[in-house]
Amino acid sequence: MWCISKIALAEPWVDTSNIYLKTNIQLLADKGHIKTPVTTYPLMWTDIYRDLKEINSYALSKMEKEAFFYVKYQLKLAK
């Protein structure tokens, strides 16, 4: 029986050509929500996913929520 994590099926790297994705990840990092260093690319989705799981979306500002849900959506598309 095979047991594969959903994240294991995702593309391993964040798409660097998507400026909106990079901007939203940077916003979340600047606000302290993403702990993974985001100043050098490529970024691994597994690291971003780990940080996203720790974020309480109810405590975010409107701009942070938009960034959070956009990054989560892009992660879902990468799977």
Side-chain angles (χ1 to χ4, degrees):
M1 180 174 178
W2 287 71
C3 182
I4 299 174
S5 166
K6 285 185 180 182
I7 194 68
L9 299 175
E11 294 177 9
W13 309 107
V14 172
D15 179 13
T16 58
S17 67
N18 184 337
I19 190 72
Y20 301 110
L21 177 57
K22 288 171 59 174
T23 301
N24 284 299
I25 289 172
Q26 186 65 54
L27 175 97
L28 292 171
D30 290 346
K31 298 295 184 176
H33 301 296
I34 291 182
K35 309 291 189 251
T36 300
V38 296
T39 55
T40 59
Y41 279 82
L43 297 175
M44 291 190 64
W45 271 122
T46 53
D47 297 331
I48 300 299
Y49 175 71
R50 181 189 62 237
D51 291 340
L52 289 176
K53 288 191 319 182
E54 300 297 319
I55 297 174
N56 176 3
S57 63
Y58 295 106
L60 301 176
S61 70
K62 182 181 180 201
M63 185 184 304
E64 292 167 345
K65 279 183 186 178
E66 290 173 2
F68 172 73
F69 287 115
Y70 182 79
V71 174
K72 281 187 69 171
Y73 177 73
Q74 290 300 314
L75 171 63
K76 182 178 178 182
L77 290 178
K79 291 183 181 179

